Amino acid sequence: MDILFEVSASCADCNVVLEIVLCQIFGHLPADDLVRLSRASKAFRQVLLSKQSTFLWKTALKNSGNAPPCPEDVSNLTWANLLFGGSYCQACSFPSCRDMPVNCHQNCGGKSLKEILFSLRRRLCQKCINSQ
């Protein structure tokens, strides 16, 4: 795993210990928390999006309880992001009504709720669903 934080050369062992401790902590989190952590800082993102962290995402999905199993053609990271990555449309990036001011329906017509289309492996708003 890449070094998480820059530390002086005399403390290279500290980086290894820090990464081991963080992996132990991350290994107990559900996928929604891991998705949020991957967006919390560049350092966390670097660690959590590395190829060495695939086991963390697999474990996080198991820790998520009722999450549907990850299909073979999708990575655990991509699957976790689809399920827990927020309510934005993955085609047009429009947020759902719950993320907008009360009068959002004049913009979206009341149709901005995002659906996960498992067959397409995407979260889309009604406008984008209709255009697909």
Side-chain angles (χ1 to χ4, degrees):
M1 207 170 268
D2 294 332
I3 295 177
L4 183 58
F5 298 103
E6 293 293 326
V7 181
S8 67
S10 64
C11 192
D13 291 337
C14 296
N15 289 328
V16 174
V17 172
L18 179 61
E19 287 182 17
I20 291 170
V21 170
L22 286 175
C23 284
Q24 289 292 318
I25 293 168
F26 293 166
H28 293 283
L29 297 177
D32 58 333
D33 287 343
L34 216 53
V35 167
R36 283 192 286 275
L37 266 175
S38 72
R39 297 172 179 170
S41 73
K42 288 181 182 180
F44 283 156
R45 183 173 181 80
Q46 182 181 0
V47 169
L48 292 171
L49 299 187
S50 71
K51 288 184 180 182
Q52 294 88 350
S53 295
T54 52
F55 74 95
L56 287 173
W57 292 100
K58 188 174 184 177
T59 304
L61 285 167
K62 287 179 184 176
N63 293 343
S64 296
N66 60 355
C70 182
E72 291 181 17
D73 64 328
V74 177
S75 72
N76 289 304
L77 166 63
T78 301
W79 191 246
N81 188 50
L82 178 65
L83 297 176
F84 306 108
S87 57
Y88 285 83
C89 177
Q90 292 177 315
C92 69
S93 300
F94 195 79
S96 75
C97 292
R98 67 176 171 237
D99 297 330
M100 298 293 287
V102 176
N103 64 354
C104 81
H105 294 307
Q106 63 190 358
N107 297 326
C108 73
K111 299 178 181 175
S112 70
L113 288 177
K114 307 300 172 268
E115 289 185 45
I116 297 176
L117 300 175
F118 289 99
S119 61
L120 298 176
R121 311 286 199 258
R122 300 192 66 174
R123 181 183 295 106
L124 300 172
C125 66
Q126 194 61 48
K127 181 179 175 185
C128 291
I129 290 171
N130 294 338
S131 68
Q132 292 283 325

